[in-house]
């Protein structure tokens, strides 16, 4: 059930500008998990880790390196953590390293 809730959270971030805006200040995976939970989505840190790892490992090496090098202080850091959220970034969003 909680993995289903995680998928619902991820999908709702894509659909809801308000929910997505809440990601801008997040700089750790723990903060993303806490944010999702605070918004009423019932998933675990293990659910997040499993999904993140699966998504990360499915990416090309260049994308993986870009995710690793993204600056946690940059507003786009959280969006760069999952491929479906990276797709939300508009051209000109920078590379997350500044």
């Amino acid at each position: 059930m909680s993995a289903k809730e995680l998928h619902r959270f991820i999908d709702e971030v894509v659909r809801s500008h308000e929910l997505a805006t809440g990601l801008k200040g997040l700089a750790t995976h723990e903060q993303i998990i806490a944010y999702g939970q605070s918004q009423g989505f019932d998933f675990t840190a293990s659910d997040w880790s499993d999904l993140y790892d699966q998504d990360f490992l499915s990416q090309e090496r260049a994308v993986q390196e870009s995710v690793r090098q993204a600056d946690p202080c940059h507003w786009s850091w959280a969006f760069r953590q999952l491929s479906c959220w990276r797709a939300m970034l508009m051209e000109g969003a920078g590379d997350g390293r500044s």
Side-chain angles (χ1 to χ4, degrees), residues 41-56:
F41 297 92
D42 185 21
F43 61 90
T44 66
S46 178
D47 295 327
W48 171 265
S49 293
D50 290 347
L51 187 129
Y52 171 81
D53 289 344
Q54 179 182 0
D55 184 74
F56 183 81

Side-chain angles (χ1 to χ4, degrees), residues 17 40 75:
H17 177 74
W75 68 266

Side-chain angles (χ1 to χ4, degrees), residues 56-85:
F56 183 81
L57 293 172
S58 73
Q59 302 303 304
E60 295 179 11
R61 208 166 271 217
V63 173
Q64 291 177 351
E65 194 58 31
S66 176
V67 170
R68 278 191 203 109
Q69 292 180 4
D71 180 357
C73 295
H74 193 272
W75 68 266
S76 67
W77 180 87
F79 290 97
R80 297 177 188 282
Q81 301 311 298
L82 296 175
S83 57
C84 64
W85 290 352

